Structures are given as structure tokens and as C-alpha cells.
Amino acid sequence: MARQAKVVAEIAVAALTQRQAKAEHARLAEEVARHDRLYYQQDAPEISDAAYDALRGRLSGIEARFPELRTPESPTTTVGAAPARGFAKVRHGLPMLSLDNAFSEQDIADFVNRVRRFLARETDIADGTPIALVCEPKIDGLSLSIRYENGELVRAATRGDGSEGEDVTANLRTLADVPKKLKGRAPERLDVRGEVYMSRAEFLKLNERQAAAGDKVFANPRNSAAGSLRQLDPAITASRPLAFFAYAWGEAEPRLWKTQFEFLERLKGWGFKVNPEAKLARTLEEALAVYRDIGLRRARLPYDIDGIVYKVDRVDWQETLGFVSRSPRWAIAHKFPAERAQTILRGIAVQVGRTGALTPVADLEPVTVGGVVVSRATLHNADEIERLDVRPGDTVEIQRAGDVIPQVLRFVPEMRPPGAPPWRFPEKCPCELKTPVVREEDGVVRRCSGGLECPFQQVERLRYFVSRNAFDIEGLGGTHIENFWRDGLLKTPADLFRLKDKARELREREGWGEQSVRNLFEAIESRRSIALDRFINALGIPMIGESTAKALAREYGDADTWLAQMLQARDERKANDIPTKKEKAAVEIGPAYGRLCNVTDIGVTTADKIVTFFAEGHNVGIIRELIAEVEVQPFRAQRVASNSPFAGKTMVFTGTLASMSREEAEAKAESLGAKVTGSVSKKTDFVVVGADAGSKAKKAADLGVKTLTEDEWLQMSGS
Ligand SMILES: [Zn+2]
């Protein structure tokens, strides 16, 4: 289903129907809220900032087109996440808002024009009046608001959800960059806002210390800054190398400055550190020049920044411009594109996947790229390494884009150590069996030939087995699986359902207690009954994913029939070990093999991979053991309306439907007794053609298969 959901996600916002938009909005809102919690409360983001911005951007886009979907709970109307437990809550006198993001110079030109138009409407500024902007690097840290009364620090709070944050006063007092008492003349009441951060060098040192002590290692400087400040024990915060840049105010009584730039000067006078890169630009061109200049030097700055913030300099104009929902109209963040960095390739490791495929991975000297410490990058396959010609010891350029997995772009020729030998793909699996590596027919993929005997494959298959699209067992992450496997608690999927015999052993494990063990058992027990298609998918048979598993379930109906048929097909193939590329010839090999080849989406190539899996006695044993432990539900036969024009017909959907998602349409067709397939052949009865349909519509026309427009489909299906 994930594949189909993704199709929906790719529909442009402008093309979404009301129904699609509602479903998509709910999904995105939940997703964004989850990432907010991970980021703000747990300091453990799972996705890159760029990926987060993309999610959030799409959510805003949908709300702009369907305003009725915007609720007070929507993550677009809040900032961050509510305070975590453990700290007292502080309500900000003035909310701490967040900035709109821009990615191109054109976006900034548009911003300046909007500002100018707004001011022209509300004030008497002349046409073409230059708008002076203060340009400040956007520090990737943790935003804070610090309250001073009569020049004395009285309270400090994190941003939290924008209106309410956490009281971190005691912790903040330990920072050398934050004056406890303001120097010179200061407002009676003043909120100073700024960013707590950690320099890259200090961050790397801290992580080394943490690793040496066996403590948590932070993903990036931002998380280490947040994690260090939000310690319940201020003594720990004091031991961490935190720094602070001040850049804004909240409440200020009286306000003694007329411009943002003047305010920055005041901050210095009071004893704060202000970012030395901050510049006053009199025109748009000057502002963009600052962006370009800092962009070039960005990797050499001692701290992470992810863009430049432009603020309208004049405070009276800021006040006129005001706010719109969660962001000020007078400021914008100009983000930097994907960051690149150079580092040393220490070596190339080989990872073993669940089907034994070997993936080379670059082992890098840790380096910060786009705010994240990178020490590994994918090298895809042997051909890619040959194309890049990277060799251990090389200095390589890496890039981290919207994806969280960084990429190796090239090596730097002038930095190559003399005599560095080219890398050779290992001929033996890195597992303890040291089984030979075989190259697949297509030449790209190389596999460990150890099959299920290979420890790496065992662990990866177990991980897949418990994953969301398979048995979906909550609370059993990849690391648990690896540890359980290593300690002999879990060797095959069936062991999972026998774990409860080892309750005592589990409870004594570090990090597990009475409650978590009970929760795990509950999660496992709730999956003891499982649908046949999920069951088949979970086995991790090569070439069988969700949709093929479903097709097999539909064809064979129940687990026993399916297994018996697979074994028979295997025996037939073994007795007729002749190469065949034709489905027609497959029937001659034997009835069971022929039947398998004719299942939707399976052909001779896939069928051969499947029977090879069953030729391994170990695999069959594992399945039998599992069937003894769980109750596999027979494939639910759809109640078919016999008068439906689609009953017993084979259908293909292509292109985008305006009235329903692909997933909904396919489910509807199946409920009407149709068999939905992915590709058009002579056996197809109907092809429903939506917008932007590609080759499938053409193939239908070529083969003379009946096509239906969306309207015809809606009418015939009674939707
Ligand atoms: Zn192996």
C-alpha cells in the first residue's frame, strides 16, 4: 500500500480533489507533528531539515487551497511542540514566532516588493524607496527568550510551541555568553532573544567524550546544544561548551532603539555576543551579496548556519508590517542549498542486506554537512565505485541533499595519496561464514551465497519481518533485533512467538523492565493472527513485495495450499531444469509451476527466484515452524455483486483520477469482483485512463483493450 500512497502524495496540490486533500492533510499534519516532537522535545530528528520543509510546505499549500482544513491544532498554526515534561512552563510575554523560508533570490525580491507595497499602502513612503535590511546568519541552534528586569536576568525559556516554553533559567545562568546583569542603560523590562548553539569543534569533542563514556552521541551540533541545555541538572549544562548569539527582542519597556541594526549595537553594549557576520544592507542587491559571500565561506565558519535572515531595519516599519499567522511580515529566512564537504575516505565497508545483496558503504572521517555529522555514505554498487574510481585514503567530496543518506560525488585528484590501489570488491561475504560472493546475471548486484545461514541475512530478515508492512510489531526496533539475535533469544521468526517463555531473561536485560516487556508481549500476541498476504510478504522471499504477496494470496487462498503449491512448483522445476523465458512453456514444466508463472505480476524470472527460495530446506523449515505458531487467515474472498460489469474482469488503472485516489479506485474495483493488475496485456478487460496517463494507455490502444474514461468508470461502478 505504501507504493500507492506515494502515488497520491505526488499529485500536485492544484490537482487534489477535496477528498484527497482531506486525507492528505490529515496524514501530513500527523507527520509534521511527529517530526516536531522528535525535533523539539526529543532532540532526535529522523529527517533532514529540507525534507521537513518539504512536508510542511505541502501542508501549507493544501491549506491555502482548502482553507477549511486549517484548524487551530494544525501544525502550521503552531511553532515547534509543547514543552516536554520535567521543566516548568513559561508563557512568553510576546509569542516567539518563526520565519517564512525562501530558497531563491527571486523569493527575496518578491519579499522586498511585498514589504514595499504594504508600506506604500499603510504609510506615505514614496515609490521605489529603498528598504534597508539587516542580514544575519541563521544559526542552527535552540531559540531562547531571556527576561531582564532592571538589568537583572530573571528568567530564561525555550521557544517551546511559540507561546509557551520551558523554564531553563538555572541552566542558562551557566553560560558565559549570557550576562547576568546588563551593562549600561537598559530598559526596565526586556526580553532578549537569541540562539544557544555549539561550535562544530566543541560538538565533535563532546561526542568523542560521550562515546568514550558509553553515553548518547548526538546527531548534529543543534541536537547537542538542545540536549545540553535541557538537562535537569544544571551542573551538566555547565560542563557543556554552549555559546549564545543574541539577535532580537520580545517585550521591551521602554524601547530605546529605532532600528534593528542599532539594537544589535545595544546588545553588544549590554554584554551580549552578536554574530560578527551581521551586516546592514541598504538595497536588495547588497543583501543578496551578503548571502552569496557568507554562502561561500559557510563551511569554514566555526558553527552551523542554514541560511541568512533578512529583517526590515526600521522598527516603525516592522510595527506597521506586523504579523501574518505564525510569521512576521518584516523578516524572512533565505536558506542555503544542499551542503557539500570534503573529507577522507577511510575505507569501504560492505553491508549485507536481507536477501544477501552486498552494498558498499563509504567509511568517512566524520565531517559536518548541512548540520549533520556524516561518517558514512552510500556507494550503491561495484559499478558506481568503478565509475567514481574512489580509493581508500582519497579525499572525497560528499553532498547531503533533501535525503538523509549522503552521497559521494567525486574524489579530489590532487589529494590522492601516491600509489593508492584501486578498491576490489571482496570475493567473500564479510559474515563469519566467509561464503563466496556471487554476481547476479544482470551483473550489478552481488550476493552472499550463504543464504539463510549468513548471520547478516538472518538479522536483516528478522528486521523486515517485524517491520510495518510485514508483521508490524511495535516496540521492537532494529537494535533490539540485533541484540536479541546476538544473545540467542531470536534466530528465526517463529522464535518471536516463543519469546514469552523467556520473559525472565528479557526483564533482566538492560533497558527493559516489567512494563516494556509486557507491552512487547502484547504487541506480539496481537499479531498472532495475520492475513495471508501479510504473512507471505513478511517472509522476505526475493522478488515478493506487498503487491505480489497479495496476488499470491488471492490465487492460493490459504497458507497450506500456498505452501504445498510452492513446494510442488519447486519439484517440477527441479525435474525440468531447462532454461525457459516463455510463460507458455512454463505450463509444460508442470501444472504448479505453470500456475505460479501465471499469477499477476509474476513471470518466469520471478517464479524461478521463488522456487529457488523454496529449494532451500532451511527456508521451508522456517515457514512451517511459523505456521505452527501463528494463525494465518485465508484470503478474504470479496463479496461480489454478480450484476457488476467488472465481476471476474481484469482491470488496470493508469494516470491520475480526479475523484478518488488510485488506492480507492483499485479497492472499489476489487470490491466489484475485478482483478486489478499493474500491467496491460491481452488478458486485460478494461483500462481506466486518468489524467497524464502514459504508456499503459497507449498499450491498451495497441492491443485493442477497452479503455474507460474516469466518468465512464464512475458511472459503471456506481461511485
Ligand atoms: Zn554472508
Side-chain angles (χ1 to χ4, degrees):
M1 288 300 112
R3 187 173 49 89
Q4 283 152 344
K6 198 162 168 234
V7 172
V8 178
E10 281 160 9
I11 299 174
V13 171
L16 286 172
T17 63
Q18 174 95 25
R19 214 159 114 199
Q20 286 169 334
K22 196 174 166 201
E24 179 80 347
H25 180 271
R27 185 183 72 80
L28 283 168
E30 200 187 304
E31 189 79 1
V32 169
R34 188 171 77 84
H35 290 301
D36 279 345
R37 283 194 302 276
L38 286 168
Y39 186 93
Y40 289 106
Q41 293 184 353
Q42 296 161 25
D43 306 320
E46 282 176 3
I47 58 171
S48 69
D49 291 354
Y52 173 82
D53 288 343
L55 280 179
R56 185 152 196 140
R58 186 166 168 84
L59 187 64
S60 308
I62 290 174
E63 289 184 356
R65 220 187 124 218
F66 300 94
E68 67 279 10
L69 293 175
R70 183 181 298 139
T71 63
E73 293 78 43
S74 169
T76 57
T77 54
T78 59
V79 179
R85 280 167 299 178
F87 290 92
K89 289 174 187 180
V90 176
R91 183 150 281 277
H92 298 301
L94 282 174
M96 292 180 77
L97 297 160
S98 76
L99 300 178
D100 275 341
N101 289 330
F103 297 90
S104 69
E105 298 197 342
Q106 185 57 49
D107 290 342
I108 305 306
D110 293 346
F111 161 74
V112 172
N113 285 333
R114 271 199 309 276
V115 165
R116 195 179 282 123
R117 274 200 309 274
F118 195 97
L119 290 175
R121 210 163 51 230
E122 304 292 327
T123 69
D124 52 2
I125 70 162
D127 239 15
T129 305
I131 308 289
L133 300 171
V134 174
C135 315
E136 300 168 28
K138 190 169 186 295
I139 308 294
D140 206 5
L142 179 73
S143 310
L144 287 188
S145 188
I146 312 171
R147 168 59 64 100
Y148 288 87
E149 279 169 15
N150 299 312
E152 301 267 356
L153 189 160
V154 294
R155 196 169 53 246
T158 62
R159 178 161 71 180
D161 63 5
S163 34
E164 206 170 60
E166 297 163 354
D167 188 334
V168 290
T169 314
N171 301 26
L172 195 82
R173 281 183 189 279
T174 68
L175 262 70
D177 286 354
V178 175
K180 315 314 165 255
K181 191 168 172 47
L182 302 181
K183 284 186 231 157
R185 186 175 169 223
E188 283 162 36
R189 219 149 30 89
L190 173 69
D191 295 326
V192 171
R193 291 176 175 178
E195 205 88 354
V196 169
Y197 69 97
M198 196 179 285
S199 74
R200 288 177 185 155
E202 294 290 359
F203 159 68
L204 291 174
K205 277 193 252 166
L206 172 65
N207 259 0
E208 261 170 41
R209 289 200 298 274
Q210 294 280 108
D215 287 336
K216 176 181 165 185
V217 174
F218 296 100
N220 56 48
R222 197 213 82 91
N223 295 130
S224 68
S228 297
L229 186 70
R230 295 167 64 257
Q231 288 286 336
L232 291 174
D233 178 2
I236 298 179
T237 306
S239 74
R240 300 278 172 86
L242 292 171
F244 182 80
F245 278 132
Y247 52 68
W249 69 93
E251 279 185 288
E253 203 58 55
R255 176 167 59 72
L256 307 165
W257 51 94
K258 290 197 166 65
T259 68
Q260 168 70 17
F261 205 69
E262 189 193 335
F263 174 68
L264 294 181
E265 291 302 316
R266 298 246 176 190
L267 282 171
K268 288 184 212 167
W270 291 326
F272 286 98
K273 293 237 162 69
V274 170
N275 193 293
E277 303 286 342
K279 298 258 167 6
L280 177 63
R282 281 161 305 170
T283 62
L284 170 66
E285 285 65 37
E286 281 184 27
L288 295 177
V290 171
Y291 173 86
R292 290 181 213 125
D293 169 53
I294 294 178
L296 286 175
R297 296 184 291 114
R298 174 186 178 202
R300 295 199 298 276
L301 292 177
Y303 39 78
D304 282 335
I305 61 173
D306 59 2
I308 300 291
V309 176
Y310 306 113
K311 295 174 185 164
V312 169
D313 190 36
R314 274 176 59 169
V315 177
D316 58 335
W317 285 356
Q318 290 185 4
E319 282 167 352
T320 304
L321 287 156
F323 297 85
V324 55
S325 75
R326 60 196 284 273
S327 320
R329 275 200 198 87
W330 44 267
I332 196 161
H334 192 179
K335 295 285 196 100
F336 289 123
E339 206 183 349
R340 293 178 180 187
Q342 290 185 357
T343 189
I344 310 265
L345 178 66
R346 295 198 289 210
I348 297 175
V350 171
Q351 274 183 352
V352 189
R354 111 184 114 86
T355 59
L358 303 175
T359 313
V361 178
D363 174 19
L364 305 164
E365 196 75 51
V367 62
T368 317
V369 196
V372 170
V373 173
V374 172
S375 58
R376 297 164 85 76
T378 179
L379 284 163
H380 304 289
N381 53 50
D383 291 1
E384 174 74 357
I385 295 179
E386 205 167 297
R387 186 184 73 74
L388 292 167
D389 186 28
V390 288
R391 304 175 183 186
D394 269 340
T395 296
V396 291
E397 184 167 271
I398 58 170
Q399 172 175 289
R400 212 181 121 258
D403 201 352
V404 275
I405 303 168
Q407 218 188 330
V408 175
L409 298 174
R410 63 175 192 114
F411 74 94
V412 184
E414 52 279 21
M415 305 283 276
R416 169 163 286 174
W423 187 74
R424 299 246 170 270
F425 209 97
E427 283 165 9
K428 298 217 158 77
C429 178
C431 69
E432 57 217 37
L433 300 177
K434 305 261 175 280
T435 35
V437 167
V438 292
R439 199 174 176 141
E440 287 218 328
E441 277 166 52
D442 64 9
V444 179
V445 179
R446 289 159 205 245
R447 277 179 212 284
C448 162
S449 55
L452 275 186
E453 304 292 329
C454 170
F456 289 114
Q457 295 187 45
Q458 289 181 9
V459 171
E460 289 309 314
R461 280 186 204 211
L462 283 169
R463 275 191 214 214
Y464 183 75
F465 186 83
V466 302
S467 69
R468 193 181 299 178
N469 295 327
F471 266 68
D472 190 17
I473 294 178
E474 240 174 84
L476 200 55
T479 330
H480 295 139
I481 294 278
E482 219 175 300
N483 294 340
F484 285 10
W485 184 90
R486 189 194 54 217
D487 299 343
L489 285 166
L490 203 56
K491 288 290 177 196
T492 75
D495 291 339
L496 199 61
F497 294 94
R498 298 191 286 247
L499 259 187
K500 60 179 190 310
D501 304 337
K502 302 189 171 149
R504 239 189 72 197
E505 242 179 294
L506 270 180
R507 273 195 295 268
E508 283 161 7
R509 292 182 75 88
E510 214 191 305
W512 289 83
E514 190 69 41
Q515 186 62 38
S516 49
V517 169
R518 198 180 316 135
N519 290 348
L520 175 64
F521 287 165
E522 265 173 34
I524 293 172
E525 286 312 310
S526 71
R527 294 292 185 269
R528 207 177 268 276
S529 167
I530 189 153
L532 179 60
D533 53 333
R534 252 178 195 271
F535 175 83
I536 296 175
N537 182 34
L539 299 173
I541 302 169
M543 312 290 287
I544 298 188
E546 279 172 86
S547 73
T548 313
K550 199 168 177 190
L552 287 167
R554 188 186 291 115
E555 175 66 30
Y556 297 102
D558 63 79
D560 292 337
T561 310
W562 172 68
L563 184 56
Q565 283 284 311
M566 293 305 104
L567 297 180
Q568 197 189 321
R570 171 200 66 187
D571 295 342
E572 290 168 3
R573 191 72 180 95
K574 208 160 143 198
N576 290 279
D577 193 12
I578 42 158
T580 174
K581 291 279 169 211
K582 297 227 181 324
E583 259 92 300
K584 223 188 288 169
V587 187
E588 287 156 25
I589 288 173
Y593 187 81
R595 184 176 174 189
L596 176 60
C597 287
N598 279 308
V599 173
T600 313
D601 293 342
I602 297 182
V604 177
T605 319
T606 306
D608 274 354
K609 290 250 163 66
I610 296 173
V611 296
T612 308
F613 178 87
F614 284 92
E616 189 134 7
H618 191 69
N619 287 338
V620 180
I622 283 176
I623 298 174
R624 288 217 163 106
E625 241 186 284
L626 186 60
I627 290 180
E629 288 294 337
V630 302
E631 193 186 328
V632 186
Q633 300 298 329
F635 189 75
R636 192 165 37 89
Q638 306 280 357
R639 205 150 47 86
V640 174
S642 55
N643 57 353
S644 149
F646 301 113
K649 304 292 187 197
T650 302
M651 296 183 68
V652 172
F653 287 83
T654 179
T656 307
L657 298 181
S659 59
M660 58 180 79
S661 71
R662 174 82 65 92
E663 208 174 349
E664 287 170 324
E666 292 181 352
K668 175 86 189 172
E670 281 178 355
S671 76
L672 293 170
K675 187 166 126 184
V676 178
T677 71
S679 57
V680 178
S681 74
K682 271 189 220 153
K683 282 183 274 175
T684 311
D685 295 294
F686 296 105
V687 177
V688 178
V689 181
D692 303 320
S695 60
K696 287 177 194 172
K698 189 181 171 299
K699 190 161 179 201
D702 292 348
L703 292 173
V705 173
K706 171 107 179 114
T707 61
L708 299 176
T709 63
E710 181 168 1
D711 283 342
E712 287 168 329
W713 149 250
L714 291 176
Q715 205 182 6
M716 287 169 73
S717 64
S719 295

